[in-house]
Amino acid sequence: MTIPILTERLEIRAFEPSDLHALHAVYGDPEVTRWMPSYSTIEHTRRALDKHVAGGRAGGPALWAVVERSSGELIGDAGLAPLDGVGPDVELGYTLGRRWWGRGYATEAARACLEEAFGPLGLKRVVAVVRPENDASIRVLEKLGMTREGTRFAHGAEHLLYATTSVEAAAGSAARSR
């Protein structure tokens, strides 16, 4: 694993227990979490953070903290986890605070996570699920070169299912570098 991951504008690192209040500022915003389970109380966020910390310590796929390098602020999460908590598919996920929307950070963080998935983690396929109404996240997945494969019931609701493979990601990376 290559955590922390540095991109042009972001640092993607393991979560720490001290991230609780910064993470709750993201997860506690109903506009941010309208497409995902609610984290309305700090205790909800604490339970999620405990899972993120444990996942990071395990050394495999995990949700990691996303930090804006210029400010040092924790702006959300991004990473990989078993789909719906059980797998076998590995899901790409990301959540950013509203202040950081529209800057390309979700695409930048998600692309770095895919590179980690297909590089050091050695995964062959990664999926993402997105609510059909979530146009912004659909655009991110399409920018990443992920392909819609239908629908999947996950996280308590019907979602669009997107996927990419290590071969497809390598081809997209080669095309971008030309």
Side-chain angles (χ1 to χ4, degrees), residues 88-159:
D89 287 324
V90 175
E91 175 186 8
L92 169 68
Y94 44 86
T95 307
L96 297 181
R98 218 182 327 177
R99 284 182 28 214
W100 296 278
W101 290 358
R103 300 183 191 187
Y105 285 166
T107 303
E108 187 173 330
R111 183 168 283 123
C113 292
L114 285 178
E115 289 170 3
E116 183 73 11
F118 297 134
L121 292 174
L123 299 177
K124 301 295 181 214
R125 182 173 188 266
V126 172
V127 302
V129 292
V130 59
R131 296 288 294 275
E133 310 85 21
N134 190 344
D135 293 331
S137 198
I138 289 169
R139 281 191 302 276
V140 168
L141 298 177
E142 290 174 348
K143 283 182 200 173
L144 295 171
M146 297 185 84
T147 305
R148 184 171 167 195
E149 292 190 343
T151 60
R152 170 88 56 94
F153 189 84
H155 309 293
E158 194 70 24
H159 288 74

Side-chain angles (χ1 to χ4, degrees), residues 1-162:
M1 299 240 340
T2 55
I3 299 297
I5 300 168
L6 298 179
T7 69
E8 180 181 341
R9 301 174 297 163
L10 304 172
E11 176 185 356
I12 300 169
R13 62 163 174 79
F15 272 106
E16 302 163 358
S18 61
D19 291 327
L20 177 62
H21 293 287
L23 186 61
H24 188 64
V26 175
Y27 285 4
D29 181 341
E31 183 67 15
V32 170
T33 58
R34 70 182 162 156
W35 310 116
M36 54 190 271
S38 173
Y39 294 92
S40 58
T41 69
I42 194 127
E43 191 51 41
H44 289 118
T45 301
R46 183 185 319 279
R47 285 195 295 269
L49 178 61
D50 288 346
K51 288 180 188 176
H52 299 341
V53 169
R57 289 182 180 152
L63 284 178
W64 301 299
V66 177
V67 175
E68 183 182 50
R69 290 175 64 184
S70 64
S71 69
E73 288 185 73
L74 186 141
I75 66 170
D77 70 40
L80 306 154
L83 179 60
D84 222 7
V86 295
D89 287 324
V90 175
E91 175 186 8
L92 169 68
Y94 44 86
T95 307
L96 297 181
R98 218 182 327 177
R99 284 182 28 214
W100 296 278
W101 290 358
R103 300 183 191 187
Y105 285 166
T107 303
E108 187 173 330
R111 183 168 283 123
C113 292
L114 285 178
E115 289 170 3
E116 183 73 11
F118 297 134
L121 292 174
L123 299 177
K124 301 295 181 214
R125 182 173 188 266
V126 172
V127 302
V129 292
V130 59
R131 296 288 294 275
E133 310 85 21
N134 190 344
D135 293 331
S137 198
I138 289 169
R139 281 191 302 276
V140 168
L141 298 177
E142 290 174 348
K143 283 182 200 173
L144 295 171
M146 297 185 84
T147 305
R148 184 171 167 195
E149 292 190 343
T151 60
R152 170 88 56 94
F153 189 84
H155 309 293
E158 194 70 24
H159 288 74
L160 302 178
L161 175 68
Y162 282 77

